[in-house]
Every structure is written in structure tokens, then in C-alpha cells.
Amino acid sequence: MSDTTSRPATPRRRPLAVALLAGAVALTIGMAPASADTASWRSVAPEGLSDAILDDVSTEQGVTWTAGLDVSDRSPLALRWNGTGWTRTPQPAAHGRVNDIAAAPGGEAWAVGYKEEGTRQEGTQQDTPTVQHWDGASWKFEDLPLPADAVAGFYAVAVSPRGTVWVGGGLSSDDPGGEPLLMTRSPQGEWRNTEIPADAAVGSTISVLPLAEDDVWLVGAKGVTHFDGTTWTRQRLPAHLDGQAFSLGAIAQRKPGEIWAVGLVEDDKLWRRPVVLRLYHGRWEEVPTPKETAQLQGITFDEQDRPVIVGETFDPAVDPDFTYVLTMDRAGHLVRGQQPPGSGRLYAADIDDQGRIWVSGANDDPSGLHVPYVAVRD
């Protein structure tokens, strides 16, 4: 991704590229044990950053990270929660961005993004895709077997229960959906390129969910595909989505056998409306959402398996701060109602070992700056 010195209205860490899909069916998700609107949010935004975007938040075994871009000097960000505030960790690149971060067991972490090389003034600037590892003390770049002279970007990173690291993105190509770029690192430290057959490919990798070595879900620019340890299978999404342009930006597991994916559907009247899909009893369904202008970019589930889905709206009548959060009401429907204090555009969500929900993003300052934002729901 290029830097945001022009300060676009909707900065984003990874592309919500358009794919062909569709629809709307009546669906109740199940009774919620309690109203999500009783939850208590508090802002824990980092101090000392006047113009920054926090693209992701990730937590594991009591360690929480948030990451993104310091717009003021185009430098990558990786901040670690110390219990009372955020500590900025030194980066191995002076300029670039962290698009996605994954906290891992044992205090480790993985991050993907790009580093800027060369200068704009001399016409030599180039964004080089990066994967970096936090060993508990410092960040170091990984040496990757990337295709020679590839123009590529990484947007997704996740770690399987066994310790396999999955990183994904896309290669530049003539295909609007991008050419997939997917790599794995074994627990022994060996990096490999992973090929997805053409009939199972879904374009550039936007989000990856490795539940086991033989149960990996991948959201791409053209849909969802699944790996069973041997074979990749492109998922058959709801038929009523055929003919509509849509994008998915995140995927998560609610419980064994139930997978959710969120994003947007292009709409003639609303421009973009939120879309939520779930795999239930072996079939993908669309979960009804409010019919209003918004796109969804992150999803997690609380301790009662209730979804917390975050994104942004472009309609000040929906929310003047552009915040968009969907939770579940007592009847089991997705509704908009929660408002983390002082929030703006939200790009990611995760749950920690204490059952707290973390969200990250950025606010639009009247002066044109991006004010970094993190909140936690106790």
C-alpha cells in the first residue's frame, strides 16, 4: 500500500477488492443470553501519536498488540500494551506500514506489511513486502522465498495452534482480484510458498484463519476457500449473492463448524451496505444486517459466543463519527447500538483471555489528521 500523506477520507490497511456474489435471507442467529448493549467500553488510545492509523489489534496469553502506520513520518507502528498504556516498539524499517499483527504464545508476535525503499523525490520509491517476528525483545525481518522481482503486498498473518505461521497477500497482476500470495512457516522455521489451484483460488489473500493444520480458512478478493490438509476447495456461497459485487475483509470461528465472514456489498442506493456470511450445518448463509451505508472490517466473539463486528459508515446520518459496530440483541439479531467512547472508523477486533473485547482504528480530526484509537470492553 502507498502512504497516506494525502490523507484519504477512508484509509485502509488491506484492500476490500470487489468480487462477484449477493443477497438477503431472513435468519435468526439464536437467542442471546444477555443484551450486548449493557457492555462497558473505555478508551485506551495511545498517547503521543498525533497522526496515526491502527489497522489491527491482536491478543494472546495476556499480551495485546496494536499496529499500523504513523502517518506523520510514514513509519510502521507496533504498540504493546503494558497494563496501563502502550509501549511503542522499535521497527527494523524507517518507513513503511504494518498491515496486520498476530500475538502468539510465549510472548512472541508476527507482523506483515511493507517497507519503503528509495525516495519519492528521486523517483526510486518502492514498497517491499515484509514479514517480521517479535522474539520477546525485538522485531526482525524474516528472509522469505518471494518470487523474483515480484510486486507484492502482505495483508494477513495468523498462527495455527501448532505454531505454523500463515501470511497472505497478493501479487500485482492484470486480474482485478489480484494473484494470490500465500506462505507458511513451519514450527521448525522453514518458509514455503503455498500454491492454490486455479479452481479454488479466490484472489489476493485478505484474511486467514488456521484452526488446525488440516482446517484452514482463507478470505480472498473473490470469496472464501478452505484447506483440509490436502485439498483447497472454493466455497459455494449463497446463490442469491450471484451477480452482486461484494468484498469480504475478515473471517472468524464462532464455534466448531460455524465460521463467519464479514465485509460489504455494493448497493445502488446505499453505495455500500454491510454483509455478514456464516457457515452453518455445512452451508453458507447471509445473516441479515441493518440496511444502511457501512462496511465491516473486523469480527470477534465474546465469552457467550455473541458477535462483535466493527467497521465504518460513510453516512453521517448513521453515525457522525463514522463508527460502525454490530452486536446481537436478545432476540438473536444483529443490531447497531454500541458506541465505544470517542471512537471513529474501526478496523479490527479481538478477545483476550479475560474475555475483554479490544477494537482499533482511527478518528478523523477536524484539521485533517488521523487520531489513533483503541478501546476495550470489559
Side-chain angles (χ1 to χ4, degrees):
M1 298 181 70
S2 61
D3 70 82
T4 58
T5 51
S6 59
R7 298 193 176 92
T10 56
R12 187 70 177 103
R13 70 189 183 283
R14 44 189 181 230
L16 282 174
V18 172
L20 294 179
L21 295 183
V25 294
L27 180 65
T28 299
I29 305 166
M31 297 297 289
S35 172
D37 292 334
T38 62
S40 175
W41 289 96
R42 56 189 172 92
S43 173
V44 289
E47 299 178 354
L49 292 171
S50 60
D51 194 7
I53 301 164
L54 297 176
D55 295 319
D56 196 30
V57 63
S58 179
T59 181
E60 178 73 24
Q61 294 184 351
V63 179
T64 300
W65 290 86
T66 188
L69 169 71
D70 187 335
V71 182
S72 65
D73 62 0
R74 306 191 321 278
S75 63
L77 282 175
L79 310 176
R80 190 174 186 271
W81 181 250
N82 61 25
T84 58
W86 297 98
T87 300
R88 183 171 182 172
T89 54
Q91 289 288 296
H95 302 294
R97 186 169 191 158
V98 177
N99 290 324
D100 204 25
I101 193 166
E108 296 184 87
W110 295 87
V112 298
Y114 66 86
K115 62 180 177 179
E116 291 182 9
E117 298 179 311
T119 65
R120 283 188 171 187
Q121 291 78 5
E122 298 175 359
T124 60
Q125 181 179 318
Q126 177 178 317
D127 294 346
T128 302
T130 59
V131 176
Q132 53 183 312
H133 175 229
W134 174 263
D135 60 9
S138 63
W139 288 102
K140 294 182 176 63
F141 284 130
E142 292 285 300
D143 186 14
L144 304 174
L146 287 168
D149 301 321
V151 178
F154 284 120
Y155 312 121
V157 59
V159 183
S160 76
R162 213 185 84 182
T164 299
V165 180
W166 291 75
V167 299
L171 297 170
S172 178
S173 73
D174 294 332
D175 188 333
E179 183 180 341
L181 176 61
L182 188 65
M183 305 180 72
T184 60
R185 178 187 183 276
S186 71
Q188 292 74 39
E190 180 183 4
W191 284 99
R192 292 184 179 180
N193 284 292
T194 298
E195 299 293 333
I196 301 179
D199 62 353
V202 290
S204 299
T205 302
I206 309 302
S207 182
V208 61
L209 177 65
L211 300 174
E213 304 308 297
D214 59 355
D215 189 10
V216 180
W217 297 88
L218 186 150
V219 165
K222 298 180 180 179
V224 182
T225 192
H226 178 254
F227 182 61
D228 64 5
T230 303
T231 304
W232 287 95
T233 304
R234 184 168 177 172
Q235 299 296 286
R236 185 184 297 275
L237 298 178
H240 63 265
L241 291 175
D242 291 340
Q244 293 194 39
F246 86 106
S247 301
L248 299 176
I251 189 167
Q253 178 181 246
R254 187 186 191 194
K255 58 183 67 174
E258 186 176 345
I259 306 297
W260 291 47
V262 303
L264 66 90
V265 170
E266 301 289 342
D267 187 279
D268 290 340
K269 295 182 179 179
L270 300 173
W271 180 46
R272 291 177 173 178
R273 68 170 177 84
V275 65
V276 176
L277 303 177
R278 73 163 179 168
L279 178 68
Y280 190 62
H281 294 312
R283 295 182 57 189
W284 284 93
E285 309 166 312
E286 183 176 355
V287 180
T289 61
K291 299 301 185 288
E292 52 197 8
T293 301
Q295 65 183 31
L296 304 174
Q297 301 177 138
I299 180 172
T300 193
F301 297 92
D302 67 17
E303 291 184 301
Q304 286 75 44
D305 292 328
R306 298 171 301 195
V308 179
I309 307 172
V310 302
E312 59 187 324
T313 180
F314 310 96
D315 184 354
V318 175
D319 188 280
D321 297 318
F322 307 105
T323 304
Y324 203 79
V325 180
L326 294 180
T327 52
M328 185 184 291
D329 66 13
R330 291 181 181 275
H333 300 109
L334 291 179
V335 296
R336 177 172 53 85
Q338 292 194 16
Q339 181 76 17
S343 59
R345 307 175 193 276
L346 299 176
Y347 300 139
D350 202 3
I351 183 172
D352 67 17
D353 296 340
Q354 299 179 48
R356 299 178 299 184
I357 304 294
W358 295 76
V359 298
S360 70
N363 296 308
D364 292 340
D365 185 87
S367 66
L369 302 178
H370 306 297
V371 181
Y373 182 80
V374 184
V376 61
R377 194 184 83 180
D378 296 310

